[in-house]
């Protein structure tokens, strides 16, 4: 993560099968840079050489990043399923909503999935009122 030097546009190159991904996800004050896709690797400690390579790839896409201060490193594990699990089930009086298995597509799918969850909750509330 780097301080946001004024970047407003998202960028994502996640060619299927590639281990080196390039993405730039701006937020208000920070920009999340990435990444890698390494099946079977579940290491939670950041790898400095991979972090430098991620920054290099992102600077090639958006030169403003070159002057941005690194403010943190995180490792994002993204378990993926053959299909996203989006379902509901009752456990006694408790409604359990399943919404997972997005893999690296979570940032792009989250808005639509959250909207669908909100619709489902509204329907459940109406049916019990």
């Amino acid at each position: 993560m780097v301080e946001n030097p004024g970047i407003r546009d998202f960028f994502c190159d996640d060619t299927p099968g590639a281990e080196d991904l390039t993405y730039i996800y701006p937020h208000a004050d920070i920009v999340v840079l990435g990444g890698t896709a390494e099946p079977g690797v579940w290491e939670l400690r950041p790898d400095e050489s991979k972090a430098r390579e991620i920054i290099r790839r992102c600077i090639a896409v958006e030169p403003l990043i070159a002057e941005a201060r690194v403010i943190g490193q995180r490792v994002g594990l993204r378990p993926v399923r053959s299909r996203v699990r989006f379902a509901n089930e009752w456990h006694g009086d408790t409604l359990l909503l399943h919404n997972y298995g997005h893999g690296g597509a979570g940032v792009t799918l989250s808005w639509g999935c959250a909207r669908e969850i909100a619709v489902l909750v509204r329907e459940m509330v109406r049916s019990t009122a």
Side-chain angles (χ1 to χ4, degrees), residues 84-102:
V84 171
R85 181 157 188 214
F86 190 87
N88 65 18
E89 67 182 285
W90 286 96
H91 285 269
D93 293 339
T94 303
L95 175 62
L96 177 61
L97 301 171
H98 299 277
N99 181 15
Y100 57 86
H102 301 91

Side-chain angles (χ1 to χ4, degrees), residues 33 36 46-58 70 72-73:
L33 307 176
T36 61
D47 179 312
E48 291 300 323
S49 65
K50 288 180 184 175
R52 284 190 299 275
E53 186 58 25
I54 288 168
I55 292 171
R56 185 197 63 74
R57 289 194 309 270
C58 290
V70 174
Q73 293 184 20

Side-chain angles (χ1 to χ4, degrees), residues 4 27 31 39 72 76 91 101 118:
N4 190 340
H27 299 263
V31 180
H91 285 269

